[in-house]
Amino acid sequence: MECKIYPLNELKEYKHVVILSKYKGEIMLSRHKERSTWETQGGHIEKGETPLEAAKRELFEESGAVKFKITPIFDYWVGDDNSGGNGMVFMAEIKELVDIPNSEMQEVKIFKELPKNLTYKDITPVLFENAKIWNSQDNH
């Protein structure tokens, strides 16, 4: 699986959103009920939704975040020789959490750095690394 990064709004037809979440200054990841690995919040954009609307919905559904600041930071493409899809990556600063709604996610956990047991080990580190690059450019 390959992950390519693009400037925000360069890709058009978006299929997915990914949210890189921070809570109390640390990385917050979710664990799916059927897996023992950790992942970012995110998912498919539903028909009629904007990427921002999808990101807000997925963030709540997969983490229980009810108060947050969410910002789009860049576009990405993930795929292989046979298929792939465009997405938009968001950064979320979470201020308040409630229990995760009844969804596919079992729990959320806070990490000082990305754990080794990631669901999407070829994708998640690339997105976090590029988020640092984009954030440092925004601060100059």
Side-chain angles (χ1 to χ4, degrees):
M1 192 70 59
E2 187 178 2
C3 181
K4 296 180 181 178
I5 305 302
Y6 298 89
L8 186 62
N9 297 316
E10 183 168 311
L11 304 177
K12 301 302 174 197
E13 307 290 316
Y14 299 105
K15 289 185 179 181
H16 307 96
V17 293
V18 172
I19 304 98
L20 308 180
S21 301
K22 285 185 180 180
Y23 182 65
K24 298 184 178 179
E26 297 187 339
I27 298 168
M28 186 180 76
L29 299 173
S30 298
R31 187 178 62 78
H32 194 283
K33 289 178 180 176
E34 297 175 1
R35 295 188 276 273
S36 61
T37 53
W38 295 95
E39 56 200 72
T40 59
Q41 297 79 39
H44 288 87
I45 299 170
E46 294 179 359
K47 186 175 172 79
E49 266 186 329
T50 66
L52 179 60
E53 290 166 341
K56 289 177 178 180
R57 176 183 51 76
E58 291 285 355
L59 182 59
F60 171 70
E61 289 175 358
E62 296 187 358
S63 74
V66 290
K67 288 187 181 175
F68 50 85
K69 177 184 175 189
I70 190 164
T71 308
I73 54 176
F74 55 83
D75 293 353
Y76 75 102
W77 175 88
V78 171
D80 55 29
D81 291 339
N82 300 315
S83 67
N86 297 341
M88 188 177 284
V89 178
F90 293 80
M91 181 71 75
E93 293 280 345
I94 298 167
K95 306 288 186 214
E96 184 179 336
L97 294 167
V98 297
D99 289 341
I100 300 174
N102 188 14
S103 74
E104 70 270 18
M105 293 300 168
Q106 179 68 37
E107 65 177 318
V108 295
K109 187 174 178 181
I110 308 304
F111 297 88
K112 291 192 183 301
E113 58 187 39
L114 286 176
K116 299 273 188 249
N117 59 334
L118 293 168
T119 304
Y120 305 105
K121 62 183 183 293
D122 296 334
I123 301 167
T124 304
V126 173
L127 298 180
F128 271 89
E129 185 58 36
N130 280 278
K132 289 179 188 176
I133 292 167
W134 258 266
N135 285 341
S136 66
Q137 289 174 348
D138 291 343
N139 292 333
H140 292 299

